[in-house]
Amino acid sequence: MIDEPSNSSPQSPAEDIFAEMEPFTVKAGGADYSRQTLYTRLEGE
């Protein structure tokens, strides 16, 4: 037996997780998250 799709609006689990985490996110402009920047040591590290 194959279940028929429900009539309710489908919601992706990922969307719910991001919505819950929204109050904890940081909105900083100009941040560089490239691999090279993340793995390059800064002076004093």
Side-chain angles (χ1 to χ4, degrees):
M1 179 174 168
I2 299 174
D3 291 335
E4 294 295 323
S6 66
N7 291 336
S8 64
S9 62
Q11 291 185 354
S12 169
E15 290 177 23
D16 292 339
I17 291 171
F18 292 128
E20 291 176 13
M21 295 304 293
E22 184 67 26
F24 304 104
T25 58
V26 176
K27 303 216 181 350
D32 185 2
Y33 296 112
S34 67
R35 182 179 296 261
Q36 181 179 4
T37 303
L38 293 174
Y39 288 103
T40 303
R41 288 182 180 245
L42 296 176
E43 187 176 324
E45 285 188 319

